[in-house]
Amino acid sequence: MRVGLHALGIGDGARPEVIRAVATAAEAYGFARLWCGEHVVLVDAPASRYPYSADGRIAVPADADWLDPLLALTFAAAVTSRIELASGVLLLPEHHPVLVAKQVATLDVLCAGRFSLGVGVGWSAEEFAALGVPFAQRGRRAEEYLDAMRALWSEDPASFAGEFIRFDAIRVNPKPLRGGRLPVVVGGNSKAALRRAATLADGWYGFNVPVADVPVHLAVLADECARHGRAFDELTVAVALSDGLPEHLPALAAAGVTDLVVVGAPPPHPDAATAWVAELAGTWIHPEQ
């Protein structure tokens, strides 16, 4: 099982010297991928329920620094050469898909094909309102945006006519490096997210999942794959656990998890951040040592 690290872009993890330290140490100590998530907007007293905690509240303070994930990963790409990079996740329906297609293809070129696009549909109605994007039908919007972006990555010129986006005979370059495509991972723990992963994506990313719930989610994912004529083992399965321990890794791998994602907040000093990554690697990548 590959082990990734979700630690960049928020709070102390938004400082350039800490990003540099975490990214280079993660590459040196054997982490497979760096993940970076997104919120454009946070509010002090949200009415929307956060779906990844028992109390429905996000742990990140509303006044914390939170970097744009594509820019943060571009910075990380510049100080590394091997470790993979992924948005975990970009809230796709909040963005114009032509612009996102351009941005992520640019990042893929700059990191020499190490980038995977993780997308989600979002949970904060307040965030959508601030951006002037309808909160309703955001799932359908995200699905259509993926179709449109894939047309832009693979066709030149490209045309698309949908419910939410239309363009005709346009050229958006550069193209992603892997034959005009980017790996797409769908994030989210709902049945709808698992269906999107099975039907539209190359993988699934479950966030803050209790160990006991992993087989339940994977059973739903496998069922959706079977219903839509897709082999379950075609997908990557990345999971960030809410309560996992290293001794759970063999069982998770046997269940079909391909990528464990360690989530944490690095310390503010670069040297301490390097030591923190080394300690995480000792716990999760080399527990036998």
Side-chain angles (χ1 to χ4, degrees), residues 152-163:
L152 291 167
W153 293 331
S154 62
E155 302 170 16
D156 201 21
S159 298
F160 187 88
E163 180 181 1

Side-chain angles (χ1 to χ4, degrees), residues 141-205:
R141 186 182 294 270
E143 292 171 10
E144 183 175 299
Y145 282 7
L146 273 178
D147 288 341
M149 290 162 59
R150 283 172 165 147
L152 291 167
W153 293 331
S154 62
E155 302 170 16
D156 201 21
S159 298
F160 187 88
E163 180 181 1
F164 304 106
I165 184 69
R166 291 171 176 265
F167 47 81
D168 183 52
I170 63 173
R171 297 182 186 273
V172 176
N173 290 302
K175 305 297 186 193
L177 294 185
R178 284 155 285 188
R181 65 177 301 276
L182 269 171
V184 173
V185 176
V186 168
N189 301 346
S190 67
K191 186 172 182 179
L194 291 160
R195 175 187 57 77
R196 290 188 190 99
T199 57
L200 299 173
D202 302 288
W204 172 64
Y205 179 26

Side-chain angles (χ1 to χ4, degrees), residues 49-249:
R49 188 181 189 281
Y50 180 65
Y52 303 105
S53 68
D55 64 2
R57 298 290 175 182
I58 190 169
V60 180
D63 61 352
D65 286 341
W66 195 319
L67 300 184
D68 177 282
L70 301 181
L71 294 175
L73 290 170
T74 301
F75 185 95
V79 299
T80 58
S81 60
R82 302 183 310 278
I83 194 167
E84 295 179 18
L85 311 166
S87 53
V89 292
L90 185 84
L91 303 176
L92 185 56
E94 295 182 351
H95 302 278
H96 196 291
V98 176
L99 181 58
V100 174
K102 176 86 166 188
Q103 291 171 324
V104 299
T106 300
L107 172 51
D108 192 58
V109 168
L110 291 176
C111 73
R114 291 184 280 146
F115 179 67
S116 295
L117 177 63
V119 299
V121 303
W123 54 269
S124 171
E126 294 88 349
E127 184 168 16
F128 277 75
L131 293 166
V133 179
F135 189 62
Q137 300 182 349
R138 63 195 184 280
R140 283 169 53 193
R141 186 182 294 270
E143 292 171 10
E144 183 175 299
Y145 282 7
L146 273 178
D147 288 341
M149 290 162 59
R150 283 172 165 147
L152 291 167
W153 293 331
S154 62
E155 302 170 16
D156 201 21
S159 298
F160 187 88
E163 180 181 1
F164 304 106
I165 184 69
R166 291 171 176 265
F167 47 81
D168 183 52
I170 63 173
R171 297 182 186 273
V172 176
N173 290 302
K175 305 297 186 193
L177 294 185
R178 284 155 285 188
R181 65 177 301 276
L182 269 171
V184 173
V185 176
V186 168
N189 301 346
S190 67
K191 186 172 182 179
L194 291 160
R195 175 187 57 77
R196 290 188 190 99
T199 57
L200 299 173
D202 302 288
W204 172 64
Y205 179 26
F207 187 76
N208 212 32
V209 181
V211 168
D213 289 351
V214 172
V216 178
H217 289 306
L218 295 189
V220 174
L221 184 61
D223 182 63
E224 290 291 338
C225 285
R227 287 180 59 231
H228 294 92
R230 188 155 188 209
F232 176 77
D233 60 8
E234 290 180 11
L235 298 177
T236 60
V237 175
V239 176
L241 300 172
S242 62
D243 58 353
L245 298 170
E247 50 262 40
H248 294 129
L249 297 185

